[in-house]
């Protein structure tokens, strides 16, 4: 109990203390016009209130990442809680703040263009490809996971009514969700996203606080064991398959700690923000909110089952969605559990529609296609949805592993981009450089070790990851040149 509440308190302190440090380093300009006003188009550049943008940002970045990731991460033991807290404060929220605010400073541009401006054209082209791959994978993952949860809820009733088996019911829900995504991706951002997300937010809050209440008052022996555990015990690896904590837990828990997917989403809200003073609340604050959600579900993973092995069996039988369904209905009762599951369902749905929207905008930026025309939006969106539907037929576990690597690699590049911005303009770049170095080691070691990558031995993979990280640091400080004159805080907004 004490450890859990301490972790939540640290996240909140991180927002007020470290968040203010990050804001001062960036140096906001309250008098600078934002793209929401200078580039308003009634489609993607639409001014909205700070509170509404924060809620949309939280729903956009959350997805199933801060739920499924922490559940899978809990297999390693309580060390997962430490990564969520410190990763969120010093890496994830910093990452989100800079990708959002740099987008504001550059006319709402997406992460590939930002990477190209501060790291060079080759990185821009790499990020264009990587961001599109990530967004399509996110689209597929965030179709399958809500469809699976809805199938669990309705297969006995709806499936029986229409004489559908589980596989057919899953296909029906997948088609319905894809239909919603097509509409939400094409219409102006304030018509659907800006209007119905507050309702989704209410479900999200019920889910979060409902599960939190159940955790605090559920009489579970393991919960008390976690609460009484010494700090050194937090680092013991409890994974039933004895998978190494480094680097796997840092890829498994992404959205609850640091996630490159957020770099694709933050520019969407950067195009709607009315003043730079709102940045810490919108970007840094939404990531802290996601960290709290991640902690809740990490504790569910640590407490609902009597051992990590039993939870691993449940995940193997029905993916993390089975853990969500079983724990929610058990801890909150059937009706309360259904509401909590619906709260989980809306997270990937709200992230999925904006992931396809972000993919459309990245392609439009690259080919300079005006998006005010519905026909031109359809020209880009339809092929994306067709490709996403085809990939959704592949094995979910394989898709998730590729998604995890692409996610953290995108975060790594975005952190290097922010570090380059600070370094070139003689600002305190270490707040981004240190997490960039860390995420480089994570991504490189994972690619060398994982079966989807090189499949090398663990020791060799660690050395490969370390060597590539040292090379990245050398390139950063030798190839980048600080700018001797020019004030980034007075640059004009680019159109």
């Amino acid at each position: 109990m004490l450890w859990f509440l301490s972790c939540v308190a640290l996240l909140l302190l991180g927002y007020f203390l470290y968040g203010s440090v990050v804001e001062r380093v960036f140096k906001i300009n309250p008098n600078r016009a934002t793209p929401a006003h200078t580039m308003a188009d009634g489609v993607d550049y639409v001014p909205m209130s700070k509170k509404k943008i924060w809620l949309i940002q939280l729903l956009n970045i959350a997805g199933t990442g801060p739920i499924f990731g922490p559940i899978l991460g809990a297999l390693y033991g309580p060390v997962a809680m430490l990564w969520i807290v410190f990763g969120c404060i010093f890496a994830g929220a910093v990452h989100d703040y800079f990708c959002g605010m740099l987008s504001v400073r550059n006319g709402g541009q997406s992460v590939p263009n930002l990477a190209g401006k501060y790291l060079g054209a080759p990185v821009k082209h790499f990020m264009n490809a990587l961001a599109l791959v990530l967004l399509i994978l996110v689209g597929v993952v965030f179709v399958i996971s809500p469809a699976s949860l809805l199938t669990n809820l309705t297969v006995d009733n709806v499936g029986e009514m229409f004489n559908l088996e589980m596989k057919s019911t899953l296909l029906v829900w997948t088609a319905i969700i894809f239909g919603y995504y097509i509409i939400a991706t094409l219409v102006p951002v304030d018509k659907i996203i800006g209007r119905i997300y507050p309702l989704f937010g209410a479900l999200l809050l019920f889910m979060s606080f409902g599960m939190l209440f159940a955790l605090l008052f559920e009489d579970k022996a393991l919960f008390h064991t976690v609460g009484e555990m010494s700090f050194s015990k937090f680092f013991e690896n409890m994974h039933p398959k004895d998978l190494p904590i480094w680097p796997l837990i840092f890829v498994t828990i992404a959205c609850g700690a640091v996630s490159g997917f957020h770099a694709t989403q933050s520019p969407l809200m950067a195009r709607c923000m009315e003043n730079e003073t709102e940045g810490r609340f919108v970007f840094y604050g939404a990531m802290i909110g996601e960290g709290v959600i991640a902690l809740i579900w990490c504790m569910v993973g640590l407490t609902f089952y009597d051992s990590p092995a039993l939870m691993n069996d449940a995940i193997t039988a029905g993916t993390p969605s089975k853990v969500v369904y079983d724990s929610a209905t058990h801890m909150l009762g059937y009706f309360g559990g259904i509401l909590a599951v619906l709260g989980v369902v809306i997270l990937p749905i709200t992230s999925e529609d904006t992931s396809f929207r972000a993919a459309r905008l990245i392609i439009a930026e690259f080919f300079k296609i005006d998006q005010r025309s519905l026909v031109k939006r359809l020209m880009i969106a339809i092929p994306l949805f067709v490709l996403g539907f085809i990939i959704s037929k592949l094995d979910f576990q394989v898709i998730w592993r590729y998604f995890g690597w692409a996610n953290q690699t995108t975060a790594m590049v975005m952190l290097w981009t922010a570090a380059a911005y600070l370094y070139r303009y003689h600002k305190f770049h270490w707040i981004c450089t240190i997490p960039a170095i860390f995420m480089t080691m994570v991504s490189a070691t994972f690619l060398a070790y994982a079966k989807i990558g090189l499949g090398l031995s663990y020791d060799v993979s660690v050395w490969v990851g370390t060597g590539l990280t040292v090379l990245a640091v050398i390139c950063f400080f030798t190839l980048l040149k600080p700018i001797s004159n020019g004030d980034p805080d007075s640059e004009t907004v680019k159109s």
Side-chain angles (χ1 to χ4, degrees):
M1 176 82 72
L2 180 61
W3 272 112
F4 175 73
L5 296 178
S6 298
C7 287
V8 173
L10 284 173
L11 285 177
L12 297 178
L13 282 174
Y15 170 77
F16 290 106
L17 298 180
Y18 199 69
S20 63
V21 172
V22 171
E23 187 178 56
R24 285 197 298 271
V25 169
F26 181 78
K27 193 178 177 181
I28 60 174
N29 185 348
N31 299 318
R32 179 187 174 94
T34 62
H37 296 293
T38 61
M39 302 175 64
D41 62 1
V43 179
D44 297 303
Y45 293 81
V46 180
M48 288 192 288
S49 69
K50 179 175 70 173
K51 293 179 180 179
K52 180 178 286 188
I53 293 176
W54 179 88
L55 178 59
I56 296 174
Q57 173 74 1
L58 176 62
L59 291 169
N60 285 354
I61 65 175
T64 50
I67 299 172
F68 284 15
I71 287 174
L72 292 168
L75 292 171
Y76 293 90
V79 67
M81 297 173 63
L82 300 181
W83 167 231
I84 290 171
V85 172
F86 294 107
C88 187
I89 294 172
F90 297 107
V94 174
H95 167 279
D96 290 14
Y97 180 84
F98 274 94
C99 64
M101 294 305 294
L102 287 177
S103 182
V104 171
R105 286 282 172 87
N106 289 273
Q109 290 187 4
S110 301
V111 60
N113 286 344
L114 297 176
K117 177 176 180 179
Y118 298 110
L119 290 175
V123 181
K124 174 183 178 180
H125 299 316
F126 171 74
M127 279 302 294
N128 268 315
L130 182 62
L132 283 175
V133 169
L134 173 60
L135 287 167
I136 292 172
L137 288 175
V138 167
V140 173
V141 169
F142 290 174
V143 165
I144 297 173
S145 52
S148 299
L149 284 167
L150 288 170
T151 299
N152 288 333
L153 289 178
T154 60
V155 67
D156 293 334
N157 299 319
V158 177
E160 183 178 340
M161 183 184 303
F162 293 98
N163 195 29
L164 296 175
E165 297 179 353
M166 177 170 286
K167 185 175 181 180
S168 300
T169 307
L170 178 63
L171 182 62
V172 169
W173 278 118
T174 301
I176 292 173
I177 293 171
F178 259 118
Y180 164 76
Y181 291 161
I182 292 173
I183 297 172
T185 301
L186 295 174
V187 301
V189 68
D190 61 332
K191 300 304 180 184
I192 291 182
I193 293 175
R195 291 183 179 179
I196 69 172
Y197 273 30
L199 299 177
F200 287 163
L203 271 176
L204 169 62
L205 291 175
F206 176 85
M207 176 273 291
S208 301
F209 287 105
M211 295 302 292
L212 176 60
F213 179 85
L215 279 174
L216 294 177
F217 293 97
E218 186 82 358
D219 185 18
K220 281 290 204 175
L222 184 56
F223 183 74
H224 296 296
T225 300
V226 170
E228 297 169 359
M229 190 173 290
S230 65
F231 187 79
S232 62
K233 294 286 187 180
F234 267 61
F235 295 95
E236 288 187 3
N237 189 354
M238 299 180 181
H239 201 287
K241 295 183 178 179
D242 200 32
L243 296 177
I245 290 176
W246 175 268
L248 297 185
I249 195 172
F250 304 99
V251 176
T252 302
I253 303 179
C255 291
V258 56
S259 168
F261 171 64
H262 300 183
T264 68
Q265 299 301 290
S266 295
L268 299 179
M269 292 300 98
R271 298 177 179 116
C272 302
M273 203 167 68
E274 295 188 286
N275 194 286
E276 288 192 1
T277 58
E278 301 171 356
R280 179 157 66 104
F281 177 73
V282 170
F283 299 119
Y284 199 100
M287 183 61 206
I288 294 297
E290 185 182 60
V292 174
I293 295 173
L295 277 177
I296 291 172
W297 285 100
C298 184
M299 286 304 301
V300 170
L302 290 170
T303 62
F304 185 70
Y305 297 94
D306 292 330
S307 69
L310 291 176
M311 184 173 68
N312 186 64
D313 292 340
I315 293 172
T316 302
T319 77
S321 63
K322 178 172 174 56
V323 178
V324 172
Y325 179 80
D326 290 347
S327 62
T329 53
H330 174 81
M331 297 168 71
L332 298 176
Y334 182 76
F335 181 72
I338 295 303
L339 290 179
V341 170
L342 289 176
V344 174
V345 166
I346 58 99
L347 286 174
I349 288 179
T350 53
S351 297
E352 166 64 17
D353 56 15
T354 51
S355 69
F356 277 118
R357 176 180 287 270
R360 170 176 63 80
L361 290 170
I362 287 174
I363 294 173
E365 281 183 3
F366 183 80
F367 291 104
K368 295 180 169 45
I369 302 174
D370 191 339
Q371 292 296 280
R372 284 174 288 189
S373 167
L374 178 60
V375 174
K376 292 182 178 179
R377 297 202 295 271
L378 283 169
M379 287 172 55
I380 301 175
I382 290 177
L384 285 174
F385 282 112
V386 171
L387 180 60
F389 184 78
I390 293 172
I391 296 175
S392 69
K393 300 302 178 183
L394 301 177
D395 180 61
F396 179 81
Q397 297 297 330
V398 174
I399 296 172
W400 184 269
R401 286 193 288 270
Y402 278 106
F403 157 72
W405 175 81
N407 196 32
Q408 300 307 69
T409 303
T410 302
M412 173 198 74
V413 176
M414 184 60 232
L415 284 166
W416 280 119
T417 299
Y421 161 80
L422 295 174
Y423 178 72
R424 287 164 65 91
Y425 287 111
H426 304 276
K427 298 187 178 186
F428 187 70
H429 65 89
W430 292 108
I431 61 172
C432 291
T433 304
I434 291 176
I437 292 172
F438 182 84
M439 293 310 300
T440 301
M441 292 188 67
V442 168
S443 300
T445 306
F446 178 80
L447 186 63
Y449 176 73
K451 292 182 179 179
I452 65 169
L454 300 179
L456 302 176
S457 68
Y458 181 74
D459 290 339
V460 172
S461 298
V462 172
W463 281 110
V464 169
T466 302
L468 291 175
T469 302
V470 171
L471 179 62
V473 173
I474 293 173
C475 291
F476 180 82
F477 286 108
T478 57
L479 298 180
L480 287 180
K481 304 299 181 184
I483 297 175
S484 57
N485 51 35
D487 182 2
D489 306 313
S490 62
E491 292 177 349
T492 58
V493 175
K494 296 183 179 181
S495 59

